[in-house]
Amino acid sequence: MTLSLQDIAWHRSVGQLIEALDKPNFWTLLVRLLGQYVTFDSWVVLLFSSELRPQVFAECPGVGGGPDPLFQDYLNGLYLLDPFYIASREQAQTGFFHLAEVAPEYFEQTEYYQRYFRLNVVADEIQLNCQLDADRTLCLSLGSTQRFTTEQIALLSLIQPWVIALLRQRMPFEELAPTQQPQPAAHWRTQLEASVSQLKGAQLTVRELDVGRLMLSGCSSKEIARKLDISVETVKVHKKHMYSKLGIKSQSELFSIFLQAQGA
C-alpha cells in the first residue's frame, strides 16, 4: 500500500500535535489542522459534568477579540438546553456526534434555538466527545454557518480516533493548569424552582419542572413521555398545571422565566 502526500501531511501534523500536548497553543494547532480538512466558523473546547458548570479550556475569539456575551449566557445556564449537553448527561459516551443526531424533534422551533443557537452557532454543529470517567466529558465543538456536508461528516468520522486520542492525552495538562476554577452548578431543578417561587409565587412539582425543561429543549410530548416513562396524556396534564401556576400561555413566556432563573 502506498501513502499519498495528503496521508503523509496528516500523520506529520498529528506527530507535531503530540509534541505540543503540553504547550499553551495546543488547541489552536489542533483547530488549524482540522480547518485544513473541514470548513467551520467557530469552535470551543468544553468540559461537561453534572456537578459543575461547563469549564471552557479554549475558544475562538469573539468579535473584537472580547468575550461573546451570548456565550456567557450559555455558561450561565443556557447549556442546560443544549442538545449536546443533554445527550452527554443522558448517555455519556466517547464518539463523534452531529446536531441532527442529538437535537430533539422541535429543536429549531424553540426559543433557545431562535434566541441563542442560530445567532451564536448559526446553522450546524458537530462535537467530538472524549469520555474521561463516569461523569466528565471533554468536548471539542465545531460550529458552521452552513450545514456540514455528507463528505465533511464522513471525513470527521474517519479521523475521530486520532482527535479523541489527542483530547484524552491533553486533559492531564488542563487539569494541572486550568485557566480558572469551574463554578459549582446548582441543580437546575433547585435553581429554577427557587426562582419561580420568587418571581411568580408558584410551587412547581419535580415532574412539572422536568416537563418544562424538556419542552424548552425542543422535545415533543412523545419524546418527553419516553424520557420520563409516563404517558403523553400525563405530559399534557403537567404542562397545563405548570402554565396555570405560572400564569403563562406560551413557551416564550416559560423561556423568559427560565432565563431569569439562570441569571442569563
Side-chain angles (χ1 to χ4, degrees):
M1 184 182 74
T2 59
L3 291 174
S4 69
L5 290 176
Q6 189 174 32
D7 291 331
I8 295 171
W10 167 259
H11 289 293
R12 180 174 179 273
S13 296
V14 171
Q16 292 173 335
L17 281 168
I18 292 173
E19 291 289 340
L21 278 168
D22 60 344
K23 302 297 191 295
N25 64 339
F26 169 80
W27 295 114
T28 301
L29 294 175
L30 174 58
V31 168
R32 285 176 180 170
L33 173 60
L34 295 178
Q36 295 176 23
Y37 296 87
V38 179
T39 301
F40 52 89
D41 301 286
S42 61
W43 60 273
V44 64
V45 182
L46 294 163
L47 182 67
F48 285 158
S49 73
S50 299
E51 300 300 323
L52 299 171
R53 296 187 181 190
Q55 183 177 6
V56 181
F57 290 142
E59 62 181 305
C60 60
V63 178
D68 183 346
L70 281 176
F71 189 57
Q72 293 306 307
D73 287 346
Y74 173 88
L75 295 175
N76 286 338
L78 286 181
Y79 68 88
L80 293 167
L81 305 180
D82 177 4
F84 290 99
Y85 175 83
I86 294 171
S88 76
R89 299 305 86 201
E90 291 181 344
Q91 188 175 5
Q93 56 184 319
T94 293
F96 168 78
F97 303 93
H98 184 216
L99 180 64
E101 299 172 336
V102 300
E105 183 176 354
Y106 298 133
F107 176 63
E108 293 189 2
Q109 299 176 27
T110 63
E111 293 292 319
Y112 171 81
Y113 178 87
Q114 295 296 331
R115 295 196 201 180
Y116 173 78
F117 188 91
R118 73 181 184 87
L119 298 178
N120 199 53
V121 182
V122 182
D124 206 356
E125 186 176 7
I126 63 95
Q127 195 159 281
L128 292 142
N129 286 0
C130 177
Q131 195 63 33
L132 301 171
D133 52 39
D135 182 60
R136 299 179 306 152
T137 309
L138 181 59
C139 313
L140 171 59
S141 178
L142 306 177
S144 174
T145 57
Q146 304 293 326
R147 299 287 183 185
F148 287 106
T149 66
T150 302
E151 292 77 12
Q152 289 175 320
I153 292 172
L155 179 57
L156 285 168
S157 297
L158 182 65
I159 66 176
Q160 69 154 314
W162 283 278
V163 179
I164 290 174
L166 286 166
L167 264 60
R168 188 179 302 279
Q169 295 303 314
R170 168 66 182 186
M171 189 60 200
F173 300 104
E174 295 291 349
E175 291 180 320
L176 287 173
T179 56
Q180 59 182 4
Q181 293 298 319
Q183 295 298 311
H187 194 285
W188 70 267
R189 280 201 200 112
T190 304
Q191 198 172 9
L192 184 56
E193 186 175 32
S195 179
V196 166
S197 178
Q198 182 179 1
L199 294 170
K200 296 287 184 177
Q203 294 296 322
L204 302 183
T205 66
V206 168
R207 205 48 117 192
E208 288 166 353
L209 289 166
D210 284 332
V211 168
R213 182 180 62 90
L214 290 171
M215 283 172 50
L216 290 176
S217 71
C219 290
S220 65
S221 294
K222 289 184 178 180
E223 287 177 307
I224 296 173
R226 176 179 56 80
K227 288 176 181 287
L228 299 182
D229 195 24
I230 57 179
S231 70
V232 173
E233 288 305 313
T234 301
V235 171
K236 294 178 180 178
V237 169
H238 285 314
K239 176 183 175 181
K240 180 180 179 181
H241 288 169
M242 177 175 56
Y243 275 29
S244 176
K245 289 179 180 180
L246 296 175
I248 60 176
K249 297 181 180 180
S250 68
Q251 280 197 41
S252 178
E253 292 175 283
L254 181 61
F255 184 75
S256 295
I257 293 174
F258 180 87
L259 287 181
Q260 289 176 282
Q262 307 308 319

Coordinates of all heavy atoms in Angstrom, one line a residue, residues 106-164:
Y106 N -38.4 19.1 17.9 CA -38.8 20.5 17.7 C -37.7 21.5 18.0 O -38.0 22.7 18.4 CB -40.1 20.8 18.4 CG -41.3 20.0 18.0 CD1 -42.1 19.4 19.0 CD2 -41.6 19.8 16.7 CE1 -43.2 18.6 18.6 CE2 -42.7 19.0 16.3 CZ -43.4 18.4 17.2 OH -44.5 17.7 16.9
F107 N -36.5 21.1 18.0 CA -35.4 22.0 18.4 C -35.4 23.3 17.7 O -35.2 24.4 18.3 CB -34.0 21.3 18.2 CG -32.8 22.1 18.5 CD1 -32.6 22.5 19.8 CD2 -31.9 22.5 17.5 CE1 -31.5 23.3 20.1 CE2 -30.8 23.2 17.8 CZ -30.6 23.7 19.1
E108 N -35.6 23.3 16.4 CA -35.5 24.6 15.6 C -36.7 25.5 15.9 O -36.6 26.7 15.5 CB -35.3 24.3 14.2 CG -34.0 23.6 13.8 CD -33.8 23.5 12.3 OE1 -34.7 24.0 11.5 OE2 -32.8 23.0 11.9
Q109 N -37.7 25.0 16.6 CA -38.8 25.9 17.0 C -38.7 26.4 18.4 O -39.6 27.2 18.8 CB -40.1 25.1 16.8 CG -40.4 24.5 15.4 CD -41.6 23.7 15.3 OE1 -42.5 23.8 16.1 NE2 -41.6 22.8 14.4
T110 N -37.6 26.1 19.1 CA -37.5 26.5 20.5 C -37.0 28.0 20.6 O -36.3 28.5 19.7 CB -36.6 25.6 21.3 OG1 -35.2 25.7 20.7 CG2 -37.0 24.2 21.2
E111 N -37.3 28.6 21.7 CA -36.7 29.9 22.0 C -35.2 29.8 22.1 O -34.5 30.8 21.7 CB -37.3 30.5 23.3 CG -38.8 30.8 23.2 CD -39.1 31.9 22.3 OE1 -38.3 32.9 22.3 OE2 -40.1 31.8 21.5
Y112 N -34.7 28.7 22.6 CA -33.2 28.5 22.7 C -32.6 28.6 21.4 O -31.6 29.3 21.2 CB -32.9 27.2 23.4 CG -31.5 26.8 23.4 CD1 -30.6 27.3 24.3 CD2 -31.0 25.9 22.4 CE1 -29.2 27.0 24.3 CE2 -29.6 25.6 22.4 CZ -28.8 26.1 23.3 OH -27.4 25.8 23.3
Y113 N -33.2 27.9 20.4 CA -32.7 27.9 19.0 C -32.8 29.3 18.4 O -31.8 29.9 17.8 CB -33.4 27.0 18.2 CG -32.9 26.9 16.7 CD1 -31.9 26.1 16.3 CD2 -33.5 27.8 15.8 CE1 -31.4 26.1 15.0 CE2 -33.1 27.8 14.4 CZ -32.1 26.9 14.1 OH -31.6 27.0 12.8
Q114 N -33.9 30.0 18.6 CA -34.1 31.3 17.9 C -33.3 32.4 18.6 O -32.7 33.3 17.9 CB -35.6 31.7 18.0 CG -36.5 30.7 17.2 CD -36.2 30.8 15.7 OE1 -35.8 31.8 15.2 NE2 -36.5 29.7 15.1
R115 N -33.2 32.4 19.9 CA -32.5 33.5 20.6 C -31.0 33.3 20.8 O -30.3 34.2 21.1 CB -33.2 33.7 22.0 CG -34.6 34.2 21.9 CD -35.0 34.7 23.3 NE -36.5 34.7 23.5 CZ -37.1 35.2 24.6 NH1 -36.3 35.7 25.6 NH2 -38.4 35.1 24.7
Y116 N -30.6 32.0 20.8 CA -29.2 31.7 21.1 C -28.5 31.0 19.9 O -27.6 31.5 19.3 CB -29.0 31.0 22.4 CG -27.5 30.5 22.6 CD1 -26.6 31.5 23.0 CD2 -27.1 29.2 22.3 CE1 -25.2 31.1 23.1 CE2 -25.8 28.9 22.4 CZ -24.9 29.8 22.8 OH -23.6 29.4 22.9
F117 N -29.0 29.8 19.6 CA -28.2 28.9 18.7 C -28.0 29.5 17.3 O -26.9 29.6 16.8 CB -28.9 27.6 18.6 CG -28.1 26.5 17.8 CD1 -27.3 25.7 18.5 CD2 -28.2 26.4 16.5 CE1 -26.5 24.7 17.8 CE2 -27.5 25.5 15.8 CZ -26.6 24.7 16.5
R118 N -29.1 30.0 16.7 CA -28.9 30.5 15.4 C -28.2 31.8 15.3 O -27.6 32.2 14.2 CB -30.3 30.6 14.7 CG -31.1 31.8 15.2 CD -32.5 31.9 14.5 NE -33.2 33.1 14.9 CZ -33.1 34.2 14.3 NH1 -32.3 34.4 13.2 NH2 -33.9 35.3 14.6
L119 N -28.1 32.5 16.4 CA -27.3 33.7 16.4 C -25.8 33.5 16.8 O -24.9 34.2 16.3 CB -27.9 34.7 17.5 CG -29.3 35.1 17.2 CD1 -29.8 36.0 18.4 CD2 -29.4 35.9 15.9
N120 N -25.6 32.4 17.6 CA -24.2 32.2 18.0 C -23.5 31.1 17.2 O -22.4 31.2 16.8 CB -24.2 31.8 19.5 CG -22.8 31.9 20.2 OD1 -22.2 33.0 20.1 ND2 -22.4 30.9 20.8
V121 N -24.2 30.0 17.0 CA -23.7 28.8 16.2 C -24.1 29.0 14.8 O -23.4 28.6 13.9 CB -24.1 27.5 16.8 CG1 -23.5 26.3 16.1 CG2 -23.8 27.4 18.3
V122 N -25.3 29.5 14.6 CA -25.8 29.9 13.3 C -26.6 28.8 12.6 O -27.8 28.9 12.4 CB -24.8 30.5 12.3 CG1 -25.4 30.9 11.0 CG2 -24.1 31.7 13.0
A123 N -25.9 27.7 12.1 CA -26.6 26.7 11.3 C -26.4 25.3 11.7 O -27.4 24.5 11.7 CB -26.2 26.9 9.8
D124 N -25.2 24.9 12.0 CA -24.9 23.5 12.3 C -23.8 23.3 13.3 O -23.0 24.3 13.5 CB -24.6 22.8 10.9 CG -24.9 21.3 11.0 OD1 -25.4 20.8 12.0 OD2 -24.7 20.6 9.9
E125 N -23.7 22.2 13.9 CA -22.7 21.9 14.9 C -22.4 20.5 14.9 O -23.2 19.6 14.8 CB -23.2 22.4 16.3 CG -22.1 22.3 17.3 CD -22.6 22.9 18.7 OE1 -23.8 23.3 18.8 OE2 -21.8 23.0 19.6
I126 N -21.1 20.2 15.1 CA -20.7 18.8 15.4 C -19.8 18.8 16.7 O -19.3 19.9 17.0 CB -19.9 18.2 14.2 CG1 -18.6 19.0 14.0 CG2 -20.7 18.1 13.0 CD1 -17.4 18.4 14.6
Q127 N -19.7 17.7 17.3 CA -19.0 17.6 18.6 C -18.2 16.3 18.7 O -18.8 15.2 18.4 CB -19.9 17.8 19.7 CG -19.2 18.1 21.1 CD -20.1 18.7 22.1 OE1 -20.4 19.9 22.0 NE2 -20.6 17.9 23.0
L128 N -16.9 16.4 19.0 CA -16.1 15.2 19.3 C -16.0 15.1 20.8 O -15.5 16.0 21.5 CB -14.7 15.4 18.6 CG -14.8 15.4 17.1 CD1 -13.8 16.4 16.5 CD2 -14.5 14.0 16.6
N129 N -16.5 14.0 21.4 CA -16.5 13.8 22.8 C -15.5 12.7 23.2 O -15.5 11.6 22.7 CB -17.9 13.4 23.2 CG -18.9 14.5 23.2 OD1 -18.6 15.6 22.9 ND2 -20.2 14.2 23.5
C130 N -14.8 13.0 24.3 CA -13.9 12.1 24.9 C -14.4 11.9 26.4 O -14.3 12.8 27.2 CB -12.5 12.6 24.9 SG -11.3 11.5 25.7
Q131 N -15.0 10.7 26.6 CA -15.5 10.4 28.0 C -14.3 10.1 28.9 O -13.6 9.1 28.7 CB -16.5 9.2 27.9 CG -17.3 9.0 29.1 CD -18.2 10.3 29.4 OE1 -18.7 10.9 28.4 NE2 -18.5 10.6 30.6
L132 N -14.1 10.9 29.9 CA -12.9 10.8 30.8 C -13.2 9.8 31.9 O -12.3 9.1 32.4 CB -12.5 12.1 31.3 CG -12.2 13.2 30.2 CD1 -12.0 14.6 30.9 CD2 -10.9 12.8 29.5
D133 N -14.4 9.9 32.5 CA -14.8 9.0 33.5 C -16.3 8.9 33.5 O -17.0 9.3 32.6 CB -14.2 9.4 34.9 CG -14.6 10.8 35.2 OD1 -15.7 11.3 34.9 OD2 -13.7 11.5 35.8
A134 N -16.9 8.4 34.6 CA -18.4 8.2 34.6 C -19.2 9.5 34.5 O -20.3 9.5 34.0 CB -18.8 7.5 35.9
D135 N -18.5 10.6 34.8 CA -19.3 11.9 34.8 C -18.7 12.9 33.9 O -19.5 13.7 33.3 CB -19.3 12.5 36.2 CG -20.1 13.8 36.3 OD1 -21.3 13.8 36.0 OD2 -19.5 14.8 36.6
R136 N -17.4 13.0 33.6 CA -16.8 14.1 32.9 C -16.6 13.7 31.4 O -16.2 12.7 31.1 CB -15.5 14.5 33.5 CG -15.6 15.0 34.9 CD -14.2 15.3 35.5 NE -13.3 14.2 35.3 CZ -12.0 14.3 35.1 NH1 -11.4 15.5 35.1 NH2 -11.2 13.2 34.9
T137 N -17.0 14.7 30.6 CA -16.8 14.6 29.1 C -16.1 15.8 28.6 O -16.5 16.9 28.7 CB -18.2 14.5 28.4 OG1 -19.0 13.5 29.0 CG2 -18.0 14.1 26.9
L138 N -15.0 15.5 27.9 CA -14.2 16.6 27.3 C -14.7 16.7 25.8 O -14.7 15.7 25.1 CB -12.7 16.3 27.3 CG -11.8 17.3 26.6 CD1 -11.9 18.7 27.3 CD2 -10.3 16.8 26.7
C139 N -15.1 17.9 25.4 CA -15.8 18.1 24.1 C -15.1 19.2 23.3 O -14.7 20.2 23.8 CB -17.2 18.6 24.4 SG -18.1 17.6 25.6
L140 N -14.9 18.8 22.0 CA -14.4 19.8 21.0 C -15.6 20.0 20.1 O -16.0 19.1 19.4 CB -13.2 19.3 20.3 CG -12.8 20.1 19.0 CD1 -12.5 21.6 19.4 CD2 -11.6 19.5 18.3
S141 N -16.1 21.2 20.1 CA -17.3 21.6 19.3 C -17.0 22.5 18.2 O -16.2 23.5 18.4 CB -18.4 22.2 20.2 OG -19.5 22.6 19.5
L142 N -17.5 22.2 17.0 CA -17.2 23.0 15.8 C -18.6 23.5 15.3 O -19.5 22.7 15.0 CB -16.5 22.2 14.7 CG -15.2 21.5 15.1 CD1 -14.7 20.6 13.9 CD2 -14.2 22.5 15.6
G143 N -18.7 24.8 15.1 CA -20.0 25.4 14.6 C -19.8 25.9 13.2 O -18.7 26.4 12.8
S144 N -20.8 25.9 12.4 CA -20.7 26.4 11.0 C -21.9 27.2 10.6 O -23.1 26.9 11.0 CB -20.6 25.2 10.1 OG -20.6 25.6 8.7
T145 N -21.7 28.2 9.7 CA -22.8 29.0 9.2 C -23.5 28.2 8.1 O -24.6 28.7 7.6 CB -22.3 30.3 8.6 OG1 -21.3 30.1 7.6 CG2 -21.7 31.2 9.7
Q146 N -22.9 27.1 7.6 CA -23.6 26.3 6.6 C -23.7 24.9 7.2 O -23.0 24.5 8.1 CB -22.7 26.2 5.4 CG -22.3 27.6 4.7 CD -23.6 28.2 4.2 OE1 -24.5 27.6 3.6 NE2 -23.6 29.6 4.2
R147 N -24.6 24.1 6.6 CA -24.8 22.7 7.0 C -23.5 21.9 6.7 O -23.0 22.1 5.6 CB -26.0 22.1 6.3 CG -27.3 22.8 6.7 CD -27.8 22.4 8.1 NE -29.1 23.0 8.3 CZ -29.8 23.0 9.5 NH1 -29.2 22.4 10.5 NH2 -30.9 23.6 9.6
F148 N -23.1 21.1 7.6 CA -22.0 20.3 7.2 C -22.4 19.3 6.2 O -23.5 18.7 6.2 CB -21.5 19.5 8.5 CG -20.7 20.4 9.4 CD1 -21.3 20.8 10.6 CD2 -19.4 20.8 9.1 CE1 -20.6 21.6 11.5 CE2 -18.7 21.6 10.0 CZ -19.3 22.0 11.2
T149 N -21.6 19.0 5.2 CA -21.9 18.1 4.1 C -21.7 16.7 4.5 O -21.0 16.4 5.5 CB -21.1 18.4 2.8 OG1 -19.7 18.1 3.1 CG2 -21.2 19.9 2.4
T150 N -22.3 15.8 3.7 CA -22.1 14.4 4.0 C -20.6 14.0 3.9 O -20.1 13.2 4.8 CB -22.9 13.5 3.0 OG1 -24.3 13.9 3.0 CG2 -22.7 12.0 3.2
E151 N -19.9 14.6 3.0 CA -18.5 14.3 2.9 C -17.7 14.8 4.1 O -16.8 14.1 4.6 CB -17.9 14.9 1.6 CG -18.4 14.3 0.3 CD -19.8 14.8 -0.1 OE1 -20.4 15.7 0.6 OE2 -20.4 14.1 -1.0
Q152 N -18.0 16.0 4.6 CA -17.3 16.5 5.8 C -17.6 15.6 7.0 O -16.7 15.4 7.8 CB -17.8 17.9 6.0 CG -17.3 19.0 5.0 CD -17.9 20.3 5.3 OE1 -19.1 20.5 5.6 NE2 -17.1 21.4 5.1
I153 N -18.8 15.2 7.2 CA -19.2 14.4 8.3 C -18.5 13.0 8.2 O -17.9 12.5 9.2 CB -20.7 14.2 8.4 CG1 -21.4 15.5 8.7 CG2 -21.1 13.1 9.4 CD1 -22.9 15.5 8.6
A154 N -18.4 12.5 7.0 CA -17.7 11.2 6.8 C -16.2 11.4 7.1 O -15.6 10.5 7.8 CB -17.9 10.7 5.4
L155 N -15.6 12.5 6.7 CA -14.2 12.7 7.0 C -13.9 12.8 8.5 O -13.0 12.3 9.0 CB -13.7 13.9 6.2 CG -12.2 14.3 6.4 CD1 -11.3 13.2 6.0 CD2 -11.9 15.6 5.6
L156 N -14.8 13.6 9.2 CA -14.6 13.8 10.6 C -14.8 12.5 11.3 O -14.1 12.2 12.3 CB -15.6 14.8 11.1 CG -15.3 16.3 10.8 CD1 -16.5 17.2 11.1 CD2 -14.0 16.8 11.5
S157 N -15.7 11.6 10.9 CA -15.9 10.3 11.5 C -14.7 9.5 11.3 O -14.3 8.7 12.2 CB -17.1 9.6 10.8 OG -18.3 10.3 11.1
L158 N -14.0 9.6 10.1 CA -12.8 8.8 9.8 C -11.6 9.2 10.7 O -10.9 8.3 11.2 CB -12.5 9.0 8.3 CG -11.3 8.2 7.8 CD1 -11.5 6.7 7.9 CD2 -10.9 8.7 6.4
I159 N -11.5 10.5 11.0 CA -10.3 11.0 11.7 C -10.6 11.1 13.2 O -9.6 11.4 14.0 CB -9.8 12.3 11.2 CG1 -10.8 13.4 11.4 CG2 -9.4 12.2 9.7 CD1 -10.3 14.8 11.0
Q160 N -11.8 10.8 13.6 CA -12.1 11.0 15.1 C -11.2 10.2 16.0 O -10.9 10.7 17.1 CB -13.6 10.7 15.3 CG -14.0 9.2 15.1 CD -15.2 8.9 16.0 OE1 -15.3 9.2 17.1 NE2 -16.2 8.2 15.3
P161 N -10.8 9.0 15.7 CA -9.9 8.2 16.7 C -8.7 9.0 17.0 O -8.2 9.0 18.2 CB -9.6 6.9 15.9 CG -10.7 6.7 15.0 CD -11.1 8.1 14.5
W162 N -8.0 9.7 16.0 CA -6.8 10.5 16.3 C -7.2 11.7 17.1 O -6.5 12.0 18.1 CB -6.2 11.0 15.0 CG -5.5 10.0 14.2 CD1 -4.1 9.6 14.4 CD2 -5.9 9.2 13.1 NE1 -3.8 8.6 13.4 CE2 -4.8 8.4 12.6 CE3 -7.2 9.1 12.4 CZ2 -5.0 7.5 11.5 CZ3 -7.3 8.2 11.3 CH2 -6.2 7.4 10.9
V163 N -8.3 12.4 16.8 CA -8.6 13.6 17.5 C -9.0 13.3 19.0 O -8.6 13.9 19.9 CB -9.8 14.3 16.8 CG1 -10.2 15.6 17.6 CG2 -9.4 14.7 15.4
I164 N -9.8 12.2 19.2 CA -10.2 11.9 20.5 C -9.0 11.4 21.3 O -8.9 11.7 22.5 CB -11.3 10.8 20.4 CG1 -12.6 11.5 19.9 CG2 -11.6 10.2 21.8 CD1 -13.8 10.5 19.7

